[in-house]
Amino acid sequence: MKNYTTLKDISNISELIKEGILLKMNPFEFKDLGKHKTLVMLFFNSSLRTRLSTEKAAKNLGMDVMILNVNDAWNLEFEDGTIMNMDKSEHIKEAAQVISQYADIIAVRAFPTLKDKAKDESEFVINNFKKYATVPIVNMESSTAHPLQALADAITISELTEKAKPKVVLSWAPHPKALPQAVANSFVEMMQDLDVDLTITHPQGYELSEKITKSTTINYNQEDALKDADFVYVKNWSNYNDYGKILNNDENWMMTKAKLGKAKFMHCLPVRRNVVVEDSVLDSDQSVVIKQANNRTFAVQVVLKQLLENL
């Protein structure tokens, strides 16, 4: 592994999941691997789980960690040929090369604009870092993808499944804010690479990109889609076709105990109680959201381990 910016960077997903679970059993086994190595984490957006789990994973491997909230530094310019006489003080060409001198691995988190679909889908932030940095790049969530979350989700399902081929349902839920498609995109792509029976359910008009969903079953009837599910992953995303808009906030799509049945409830967190999911689900034994959050550390750690081994 040379970078981890998309799920395509994984050469063998089943082996990576197994390795992540083994690291969870002995997290300090490779504590000397990252000795005298530095991870620089760049946040264009706020974070709780990603920030803390990535720092913990790096330290489990013996790495030093530096964290920069990019908006507290210079505003970066990403366009080529720009006359920089406005609010941007530094170009990515210089910034990425300079940071590379301080880091052995750079991790970047940058959300979409949710206004310019073409610009967001170009992944201009993460791809410019890949282009100009001289060290490996890790995606801590970008405009269209969250591959670290998807790996943690895969580890969670692999640990908890009681079937050779579990039924997994990704269900849209209402939310007062316009949210990215990144988590949903990466979850779908990850499940397509695993031996699961995947169904996506959402209101009509909330289809994800066809480049993501491909031939995955889409059911507009939530309760029908949830029948006999083993895992139910609930997540809001804003409209993809009418990009970034909220065109449906139907409260009936909130996940309830009655709808969930006997399935395990998954969510990437943070989650709005009694909007996305009712308390009785989150507070039940069927909720595995805390286990998911814990697995974030080991998803990052196995990625950092492979990157360090290839330096």
Side-chain angles (χ1 to χ4, degrees):
M1 188 183 292
K2 302 298 183 182
N3 294 285
Y4 189 68
T5 57
T6 76
L7 294 177
K8 295 181 177 64
D9 291 320
I10 301 174
S11 59
N12 188 319
I13 183 58
S14 61
E15 288 301 316
L16 194 67
I17 291 170
K18 289 177 185 176
E19 191 173 355
I21 293 172
L22 288 174
L23 278 176
K24 187 175 180 179
M25 297 167 63
N26 189 0
F28 304 111
E29 182 178 1
F30 301 96
K31 60 182 177 60
D32 294 326
L33 184 62
K35 190 174 181 179
H36 303 312
K37 302 292 184 184
T38 300
L39 172 70
V40 171
M41 300 166 63
L42 304 176
F43 290 91
F44 289 80
N45 301 93
S46 58
S47 173
L48 190 155
R49 274 150 296 278
T50 299
R51 180 167 180 162
L52 295 178
S53 63
T54 304
E55 182 173 0
K56 181 175 175 61
K59 289 181 175 179
N60 284 352
L61 294 168
M63 299 186 77
D64 295 315
V65 180
M66 294 193 291
I67 299 173
L68 177 65
N69 294 321
V70 179
N71 294 335
D72 293 339
W74 309 117
N75 287 331
L76 293 181
E77 177 60 66
F78 290 91
E79 301 294 336
D80 287 334
T82 302
I83 298 173
M84 292 175 58
N85 61 356
M86 299 297 286
D87 64 330
K88 304 297 194 303
S89 301
E90 184 160 7
H91 201 282
I92 185 63
K93 289 182 179 181
E94 288 77 51
Q97 293 180 76
V98 168
I99 297 168
S100 296
Q101 295 178 110
Y102 309 146
D104 296 281
I105 299 173
I106 298 173
V108 181
R109 180 178 175 93
F111 287 173
T113 65
L114 286 181
K115 295 177 182 178
D116 187 333
K117 184 192 288 189
K119 187 173 184 180
D120 287 346
E121 291 191 330
S122 75
E123 291 286 7
F124 67 99
V125 175
I126 202 84
N127 283 335
N128 270 290
F129 272 99
K130 279 181 68 176
K131 183 176 180 179
Y132 295 114
T134 57
V135 298
I137 302 298
V138 174
N139 182 348
M140 296 191 295
E141 188 171 1
S142 61
S143 296
T144 67
H146 199 344
L148 289 176
Q149 179 67 55
L151 180 54
D153 298 335
I155 290 172
T156 303
I157 290 173
S158 296
E159 285 183 311
L160 297 177
T161 188
E162 298 174 355
K163 295 181 178 179
K165 188 173 184 177
K167 179 178 178 179
V168 178
V169 179
L170 171 64
S171 177
W172 181 92
H175 197 284
K177 292 176 62 179
L179 298 184
Q181 296 93 29
V183 170
N185 286 345
S186 290
F187 182 74
V188 169
E189 290 185 314
M190 177 62 81
M191 292 302 105
Q192 288 169 343
D193 284 340
L194 300 183
D195 191 16
V196 304
D197 177 9
L198 176 64
T199 296
I200 305 171
T201 184
H202 55 71
Q204 287 191 336
Y206 269 77
E207 291 79 11
L208 296 166
S209 169
E210 291 182 357
K211 294 178 182 177
I212 298 294
T213 56
K214 299 176 183 176
S215 60
T216 298
T217 299
I218 297 172
N219 189 336
Y220 299 115
N221 185 317
Q222 186 189 36
E223 293 194 20
D224 183 60
L226 293 170
K227 288 178 182 176
D228 301 319
D230 298 294
F231 295 89
V232 175
Y233 199 115
V234 176
K235 184 72 181 78
N236 173 270
W237 58 88
S238 57
N239 201 285
Y240 176 75
N241 292 319
D242 198 348
Y243 192 62
K245 299 294 192 301
I246 299 175
L247 302 181
N248 187 321
N249 228 345
D250 187 349
E251 294 178 359
N252 292 321
W253 279 79
M254 180 180 71
M255 187 54 55
T256 66
K257 199 80 182 302
K259 291 180 190 176
L260 186 65
K262 297 180 180 180
K264 292 178 172 63
F265 173 80
M266 301 180 70
H267 192 283
C268 61
L269 300 181
V271 63
R272 297 199 179 213
R273 285 175 173 259
N274 303 307
V275 175
V276 172
V277 55
E278 65 181 11
D279 285 338
S280 62
V281 172
L282 273 174
D283 296 332
S284 74
D285 292 340
Q286 290 170 252
S287 174
V288 299
V289 298
I290 305 303
K291 290 183 174 66
Q292 273 179 275
N294 186 45
N295 282 335
R296 288 298 307 276
T297 296
F298 306 103
V300 184
Q301 191 169 337
V302 72
V303 167
L304 292 176
K305 176 179 175 289
Q306 290 205 0
L307 292 174
L308 287 168
E309 290 170 340
N310 282 293
L311 289 179

